[in-house]
Amino acid sequence: QVQVVESGGGLVQAGGSLRLSCAASGGTFRMYTMAWFRQTPGKDREFVAVSGRNGGNADYADSVKGRFTVSRDSAKSTMYLQMNNLKPEDTGAYYCAIDPSLIWGLRSIPRHYDYWGQGTQVTVSS
């Protein structure tokens, strides 16, 4: 059974940094696509960043380019999101999503991912 667990969220002032982790188990994840999404209550879930198969093909939402970096530890089935220069607009619940055979052009659409974690909260104060 596939299990996905996020960690690393917390409260930080604007301009600060956080590092999120997504640990997956129960499958062969080296060739799986892994992505980060975030959501604020009352709003749709939005794409943040993605790490393609074997840790390649990284992509980011325009709002986080230059500030966030996604990386992948394939041996440990773990994905990281280094978040620097955080802004209040980055506040939300961050979710890890996984898909075994994602079509790359659909990478930013939540409904195409098969597995999800429970989320970790990130709150950025002004």
Side-chain angles (χ1 to χ4, degrees):
Q1 182 179 347
V2 173
Q3 297 183 53
V4 185
V5 180
E6 304 98 332
S7 62
L11 175 64
V12 64
Q13 290 188 331
S17 298
L18 286 172
R19 190 192 192 207
L20 306 184
S21 298
C22 171
S25 61
T28 303
F29 297 101
R30 185 177 66 86
M31 301 302 292
Y32 287 25
T33 299
M34 301 179 70
W36 290 100
F37 292 81
R38 66 189 181 191
Q39 187 170 25
T40 300
K43 299 180 65 177
D44 292 337
R45 192 164 297 187
E46 66 172 332
F47 170 76
V48 177
V50 61
S51 173
R53 298 198 302 168
N54 204 32
N57 301 92
D59 192 30
Y60 303 87
D62 289 342
S63 60
V64 307
K65 287 181 178 177
R67 300 187 297 118
F68 291 11
T69 302
V70 65
S71 60
R72 184 85 167 270
D73 184 342
S74 295
K76 298 178 179 181
S77 300
T78 302
M79 175 179 64
Y80 306 95
L81 185 67
Q82 179 65 47
M83 306 186 295
N84 297 326
N85 191 25
L86 283 160
K87 303 176 180 180
E89 307 92 270
D90 296 317
T91 293
Y94 282 69
Y95 296 89
C96 178
I98 300 173
D99 194 89
S101 56
L102 186 76
I103 298 173
W104 189 243
L106 303 177
R107 63 193 180 278
S108 67
I109 305 174
R111 63 185 174 91
H112 293 292
Y113 287 81
D114 289 348
Y115 307 108
W116 293 82
Q118 294 299 309
T120 184
Q121 179 67 33
V122 172
T123 302
V124 184
S125 301
S126 299

